[in-house]
Amino acid sequence: MTTFLKKKRKRSLNSSESFSDIDTANLPYHVAIIMDGNGRWAKKRILNRIEGHKKGVEVVRLIVRTCREIGISILTLYAFSTENWQRPKTEVAALMSLLKNFLESEQKDMLDNNIRLNAIGQIERLPEDVQQALHKTMSLTKKNGGLMLNLALSYGGRDEIVRMVQEIAARTKEGKIDPDLITPELVSDFLYTKGMPDPDLLIRTSGEMRISNFLLWQIAYTEIFVTETLWPDFGRQEFLQILKHYQHRERRFGKV
Ligand code: FPP
């Protein structure tokens, strides 16, 4: 009985009606999101900032589900930046605890729905228990071939570039890389996102017109959408609306 109900719900959510005016054959392969505005959402309600992050996690679940249902291949979420370590200790601890809870609570959903978890950033800087939860979920889901949920954690674009330069320089010094043969493709292979196509679409919530050190190399030709909506107020309908707008953009990649 349970299985039947589950199946039925899934089918109805996947029906063409749900995504009626979206061309599912022309979806962005890789969507990246700067989830901003949790603090402001909480402040407007005279709540602690952490309440904003908690609501933000619910929206993460919703957008992951929507991406999986519509058929997005990679969803990269900017969950914690290298700069975020400078926030008050209590806020950092709350974000780490939310992350750990999310990993534990979503494990079954990821396994049931063919989602593969990946992480980019300075994973070794995360608290030990978060690293363990992360590695466990990544290992359990590594063979899944549906949506890849790519969490940017202690991630910074400049840090990623410095790390890439250091690694290429070290190999060049050892004679393993010929400096004349360093190409954009080789550079990409030394980034955290090795093997992933660059994002087609970058969404930033809460209206700020900046990149905030996110995927600096990878977004060279990415289509950018900024919405005024604060992340905790963001939802499925607005996400689908943005996908629709994306489908009307002409991507020229610098050509005519
Ligand atoms: C920006 O809002 C958001 C963050 C720094 C963290 C994003 C984290 C979550 C959505 C929850 C945890 C994520 C996962 C994947 C479990 P802000 O605090 O900078 O908001 P403000 O600019 O309004 O102050």
Side-chain angles (χ1 to χ4, degrees):
M1 185 63 172
T2 317
T3 319
F4 173 71
L5 286 176
K6 205 173 164 192
K7 261 193 186 161
K8 202 174 165 201
R9 197 176 325 122
K10 201 172 164 203
R11 199 175 327 129
S12 76
L13 281 169
N14 275 331
S15 73
S16 54
E17 204 181 24
S18 314
F19 310 119
S20 54
D21 34 13
I22 294 179
D23 173 6
T24 45
N26 179 28
L27 286 170
Y29 185 91
H30 182 173
V31 176
I33 307 184
I34 302 176
M35 310 179 288
D36 195 17
N38 295 351
R40 273 162 287 171
W41 182 92
K43 196 172 170 198
K44 267 173 49 182
R45 288 161 177 79
I46 325 173
L47 292 169
N48 187 299
R49 294 176 56 80
I50 291 160
E51 296 305 315
H53 296 314
K54 282 188 188 160
K55 186 75 177 40
V57 178
E58 287 177 31
V59 180
V60 167
R61 286 198 183 94
L62 184 66
I63 297 304
V64 168
R65 198 175 79 203
T66 306
C67 284
R68 167 176 68 72
E69 287 171 358
I70 199 168
I72 300 291
S73 296
I74 305 178
L75 173 66
T76 299
L77 298 178
Y78 205 4
F80 195 87
S81 73
T82 44
E83 290 73 27
N84 287 156
W85 290 114
Q86 287 154 37
R87 292 193 174 198
K89 265 191 183 151
T90 46
E91 186 173 343
V92 171
L95 279 167
M96 291 300 144
S97 156
L98 285 174
L99 177 61
K100 188 179 165 214
N101 289 343
F102 172 83
L103 293 168
E104 288 170 354
S105 67
E106 296 314 290
Q107 213 173 79
K108 185 173 180 309
D109 181 78
M110 290 186 205
L111 288 169
D112 287 350
N113 291 299
N114 204 19
I115 297 174
R116 176 176 170 196
L117 182 77
N118 189 62
I120 57 171
Q122 307 162 329
I123 304 308
E124 67 289 350
R125 277 185 81 182
L126 301 174
E128 199 61 45
D129 58 340
V130 177
Q131 286 191 48
Q132 271 176 21
L134 198 57
H135 287 302
K136 185 173 171 210
T137 314
M138 287 197 295
S139 155
L140 282 171
T141 62
K142 71 175 181 221
K143 294 216 172 90
N144 288 350
L147 171 70
M148 178 195 276
L149 172 59
N150 191 32
L151 296 182
L153 299 168
S154 189
Y155 173 88
R158 286 187 169 180
D159 163 74
E160 181 182 37
I161 289 172
V162 167
R163 196 176 150 273
M164 170 273 292
V165 171
Q166 285 173 338
E167 288 189 17
I168 293 185
R171 281 173 175 68
T172 306
K173 201 169 149 196
E174 290 164 7
K176 290 181 181 157
I177 290 179
D178 175 352
D180 291 335
L181 299 179
I182 297 176
T183 59
E185 291 73 28
L186 182 101
V187 167
S188 294
D189 276 352
F190 281 87
L191 299 177
Y192 291 123
T193 48
K194 175 178 163 49
M196 294 178 211
D198 291 338
D200 301 291
L201 171 63
L202 170 67
I203 300 170
R204 178 169 190 143
T205 58
S206 94
E208 309 289 352
M209 297 288 181
R210 38 175 192 266
I211 294 302
S212 300
N213 204 11
F214 191 40
L215 303 174
L216 297 180
W217 171 272
Q218 296 88 338
I219 59 167
Y221 289 103
T222 299
E223 295 295 326
I224 300 178
F225 282 80
V226 176
T227 166
E228 292 291 328
T229 307
L230 305 176
W231 177 252
D233 289 327
F234 193 68
R236 181 182 175 95
Q237 282 318 313
E238 188 169 6
F239 181 68
L240 295 177
Q241 205 61 33
I242 293 174
L243 292 185
K244 230 165 67 182
H245 280 291
Y246 166 86
Q247 299 193 316
H248 291 112
R249 291 239 183 137
E250 189 193 352
R251 302 191 69 197
R252 291 202 298 268
F253 298 93
K255 297 171 210 149
V256 289

